[in-house]
Amino acid sequence: SDLQKQEERGELLQPLIFVLLVLCSILLYFKVSLMDPGFVKPEEEEGEDKGQCVVIPQIPGDIKLRRCGYCLVKQPMRAKHCQLCQHCVRRYDHHCPWLENCVGERNHPLFIVYLSVQLVVLLWGGHVAWSGLYFEQSREWLQHNIFLLVSFLLIFIFTIVVLLLLVSHLYLISCNTTTWEFMSHHRISYLRHSELENPFDQGIILNLWRFFC
C-alpha cells in the first residue's frame, strides 16, 4: 500500500515526530498548570529559619522571616503570596495567566521545558507553513492561500513571544533570580538590605545546575 511505501522511505517519520512533540507540549501544559508550584503549608514552618541560614549565608542576620498577612504562614525566603491562587509560593516567579497557575519552585523547571518544546513546535509549524507558500500577485492566489498565510503570521507572532519569554527566563535562571525579584528588587527587604546586588548568584554554571538538577 501507499502507506507502507511511505513508511519504508521514511516519509512518515517526520509527521509522527511532529505529532508527538505537539502531544508532549499539551501534556506539559496540563502538568505545569495543574501541579503544585510550591505552596507553603503551615506544617512546614518548623526549622525554616535554620535551613535558610545554611543555604543563603549572605543575607543579613537582622532580616527575619515574616508571616503572610493573607494566609498567616511564615514565609520562607524568596516566597510570595499570590492573591489569585490564595497561597504563598516558594521561590515565586510569577503568576501565569495562560496557565492559570503560579510558576514557582516546583514547576519552574518544567515550565522552561514546556516553553522549549513549544518553541520547537512553533518553529517546525512555521517552516511547514512557509514551505507551502508560493507567492503570486493575483487575487486567486490570495483566496487559495489566505488560510496558510494567516496561519504563518500567527505562528510567527507566537514564536517571537515564546522565544522572548524563554530567553528572558534563561537569563534570570543563569543569574539565580526570579521575575518577581528582578521587577521588585527595591521593595523586597532581603534584597534591599543585602550588601550584594544579588546574594543568590553563585555563578552561571552552578545556578543552572542547581535549577535544573
Side-chain angles (χ1 to χ4, degrees):
S1 66
D2 292 338
L3 281 176
Q4 288 178 338
K5 292 179 180 178
Q6 288 178 337
E7 185 179 0
E8 290 174 358
R9 293 195 298 265
E11 295 177 0
L12 297 179
L13 183 60
Q14 287 190 357
L16 180 61
I17 294 175
F18 180 77
V19 171
L20 289 176
L21 281 173
V22 172
L23 290 176
C24 182
S25 69
I26 294 173
L27 291 174
L28 283 169
Y29 171 82
F30 283 109
K31 177 66 175 176
V32 175
S33 62
L34 296 176
M35 73 181 295
D36 179 356
F39 294 136
V40 181
K41 298 176 176 60
E43 61 269 19
E44 297 175 357
E45 292 183 13
E46 188 176 350
E48 200 68 60
D49 296 345
K50 185 177 180 180
Q52 291 295 340
C53 291
V54 172
V55 176
I56 312 159
Q58 299 95 333
I59 299 297
D62 57 342
I63 296 179
K64 297 181 179 179
L65 302 184
R66 66 184 185 88
R67 287 201 175 273
C68 174
Y70 296 95
C71 52
L72 302 179
V73 297
K74 187 177 288 186
Q75 286 184 334
M77 196 73 69
R78 311 188 80 177
K80 182 182 182 295
H81 183 87
C82 176
Q83 296 191 23
L84 294 174
C85 292
Q86 295 296 313
H87 284 285
C88 286
V89 180
R90 293 176 178 275
R91 201 181 183 278
Y92 175 88
D93 189 87
H94 70 287
H95 183 92
C96 182
W98 306 106
L99 297 173
E100 292 187 2
N101 193 15
C102 283
V103 175
E105 183 178 75
R106 294 189 62 188
N107 64 349
H108 200 172
L110 270 181
F111 178 71
I112 298 300
V113 175
Y114 164 70
L115 289 179
S116 302
V117 174
Q118 193 65 47
L119 181 61
V120 172
V121 170
L122 287 168
L123 289 173
W124 197 334
H127 171 72
V128 172
W130 179 260
S131 63
L133 289 172
Y134 298 95
F135 293 97
E136 295 179 8
Q137 293 183 351
S138 65
R139 187 173 180 178
E140 291 183 357
W141 176 89
L142 185 62
Q143 289 177 346
H144 286 91
N145 291 273
I146 185 67
F147 177 75
L148 201 58
L149 187 60
V150 171
S151 298
F152 174 77
L153 291 175
L154 288 175
I155 290 173
F156 177 77
I157 293 171
F158 288 135
T159 301
I160 296 299
V161 172
V162 172
L163 179 62
L164 291 175
L165 191 60
L166 179 60
V167 170
S168 64
H169 273 273
L170 288 175
Y171 168 74
L172 293 175
I173 291 167
S174 68
C175 299
N176 198 359
T177 189
T178 64
T179 303
W180 171 58
E181 290 171 343
F182 181 78
M183 300 294 292
S184 306
H185 188 280
H186 61 287
R187 292 190 296 151
I188 302 173
S189 59
Y190 59 81
L191 294 179
R192 190 172 66 246
H193 297 104
S194 174
E195 297 179 359
L196 303 175
E197 184 177 353
N198 181 10
F200 307 107
D201 188 6
Q202 296 179 311
I204 294 177
I205 296 177
L206 191 56
N207 291 339
L208 292 174
W209 174 264
R210 290 196 167 183
F211 181 83
F212 288 106
C213 303

